[in-house]
Amino acid sequence: REAGVVAPPPHWEQDGEMPSQGWRCISLGAETPEFDSLRQCLQTDPKDLGSGRDVVEKGKYKQLKLARAWRIENPKLWRRYAVERQSVAEEIRDRRIKVPSLRIRDVLQKALAGLPDKLQSDVHETRLLHGTAPQTVLTLLSNGPNERFSGGLFGCGTYLAEDAGKNDQYVTSDRSMGQVKPLHSRLYPKGDHPGTVYYLICCRTVLGHFVATKSGTPDAGSTEGGHKVFATDARRELGYIPGLQPPAHYHSLLAELGFHIHRHREFVVFHDARIYPEYLLAYHRV
C-alpha cells in the first residue's frame, strides 16, 4: 500500500537516468496540452496589473504571456507530499471530519483541468500559484517551499493564489542569460533565454479542512463561528478544528476578501510537505 501511495505520477518520464541533483525539469513544447493549460492559467483582469501597494516591480502592461514551461519531476519531494496527503486523508476519514466546501476561481480551475493526473478531492487537493524571484527558483524546485522563511499578513506560512495577477505583484525579473547562472544552466542549456521573464510555480496543494478568515491578527476569528484561527500569537501554526477531542489543527488557511485584502483571496499553508512544486512557468509582461 505504501508503495502505491508514493508512486510517482504515471505521466512522468520513465526512461533516462535521473540527474545527480535528484530531480529533473522537463521542458514542455508550446504545442503540448500541458503548456496550453498553463498558458490559460495566466488569465487575469488587466486593470489590476502593474499597480498597487504590493507590486515590487511596477510597470504598464495588460497581459501575462507564457514564454516557457517545465514539469518538475522531483521523486524526493513527491514522496514527502504523497505521504502527507495520505496522512491528511486518513485523519479526515478516521476522525470523521466534515470538511467545508471549497470553490476555486473558475478561470484557474478550468484552465488547469486539462493537466494530467486526477486530484484527490477528499483532502481538497488543488492546484494554486506561487510567485517567486529568480534567485529562489532553484531552491524551491530542489527543496520545496519552506514556511520558516515566509511571513505575511496571515502568519508564517507559504502563500498561494488562485489568480496570477496576485502572484505577479511579488515577482522580480530575470532579464538575460547569465543573471542567475545555476538556474539558467538547467532551464536554458542551449543559451536560449527568452528575454525578460518572471517566474510562477504551479503547485499541487493539500488544503484539507481549511479555516477561512478576513483578519490576520493573532486573535483573529474564523468567518464561520468566530473560532480561533491561530494556535499562538506567533501565528506559526493554525488553531484547532472545532468539536474534536483530542484536538486536531486546521490544515490550511483561506484569507477571504475584507479587512486586510480587497482584490484577491490567498491561501496559506503552514506545513511545507502539503505543497508539491509541479510546474515552473516563465512569462512575459506585455
Side-chain angles (χ1 to χ4, degrees):
R1 181 185 177 190
E2 180 74 7
V5 168
V6 302
H11 60 280
W12 280 18
E13 296 282 331
Q14 303 298 319
D15 301 322
E17 185 176 349
M18 185 66 71
S20 59
Q21 65 188 13
W23 57 275
R24 55 191 165 204
C25 49
I26 306 299
S27 181
L28 302 173
E31 74 287 349
T32 63
E34 284 172 286
F35 188 97
D36 187 57
S37 291
L38 297 170
R39 177 185 59 78
Q40 293 180 55
C41 84
L42 294 179
Q43 297 175 73
T44 188
D45 190 337
K47 76 175 187 295
D48 291 338
L49 292 173
S51 62
R53 64 181 183 183
D54 294 330
V55 177
V56 177
E57 290 190 9
K58 291 180 169 60
K60 292 184 178 181
Y61 50 99
K62 297 181 179 180
Q63 184 184 0
L64 309 180
K65 183 178 180 181
L66 189 61
R68 302 286 176 82
W70 301 263
R71 183 173 66 246
I72 308 306
E73 299 184 355
N74 188 323
K76 179 188 73 174
L77 288 185
W78 177 259
R79 286 193 295 270
R80 184 181 73 175
Y81 174 77
V83 168
E84 179 65 13
R85 181 179 60 178
Q86 183 66 16
S87 176
V88 172
E90 290 174 355
E91 182 176 55
I92 290 172
R93 181 196 66 211
D94 296 344
R95 304 206 60 186
R96 300 179 182 178
I97 297 173
K98 185 178 180 181
V99 298
S101 60
L102 173 68
R103 185 174 181 84
I104 300 297
R105 178 174 173 258
D106 284 345
V107 170
L108 184 69
Q109 197 163 34
K110 290 177 181 177
L112 300 183
L115 292 178
D117 207 23
K118 186 177 180 180
L119 300 178
Q120 200 167 310
S121 60
D122 59 334
V123 295
H124 280 330
E125 184 181 23
T126 189
R127 289 181 170 101
L128 295 167
L129 304 173
H130 180 74
T132 191
Q135 294 79 7
T136 58
V137 169
L138 202 56
T139 298
L140 284 168
L141 301 186
S142 298
N143 305 316
N146 189 333
E147 70 278 358
R148 297 167 187 83
F149 298 115
S150 303
L153 289 173
F154 294 89
C156 301
T158 299
Y159 286 68
L160 304 120
E162 60 188 346
D163 190 317
K166 177 64 177 176
N167 306 104
D168 182 65
Q169 295 176 350
Y170 304 105
V171 297
T172 56
S173 57
D174 178 355
R175 297 185 178 278
S176 61
M177 191 72 186
Q179 178 177 325
V180 189
K181 291 181 180 179
L183 175 67
H184 291 172
S185 66
R186 291 161 174 82
L187 299 186
Y188 314 112
K190 298 179 180 179
D192 53 343
H193 191 285
T196 300
V197 290
Y198 301 82
Y199 294 106
L200 293 184
I201 298 176
C202 178
C203 302
R204 283 176 80 141
T205 310
V206 173
L207 297 177
H209 189 308
F210 59 88
V211 57
T213 184
K214 296 181 180 180
S215 172
T217 60
D219 62 348
S222 64
T223 55
E224 296 292 333
H227 302 289
K228 189 171 176 59
V229 171
F230 299 104
T232 69
D233 287 353
R235 301 182 305 162
R236 296 184 180 279
E237 180 58 276
L238 293 170
Y240 298 121
I241 299 171
L244 287 182
Q245 286 297 336
H249 293 279
Y250 292 109
H251 300 119
S252 63
L253 182 151
L254 168 57
E256 295 277 19
L257 302 184
F259 182 60
H260 280 311
I261 54 178
H262 305 287
R263 289 197 291 184
H264 307 292
R265 301 192 307 173
E266 293 184 86
F267 299 81
V268 190
V269 179
F270 293 77
H271 293 265
D272 51 15
R274 292 175 188 163
I275 301 174
Y276 178 76
E278 189 175 25
Y279 292 95
L280 175 65
L281 291 68
Y283 68 92
H284 298 300
R285 290 172 168 178
V286 297

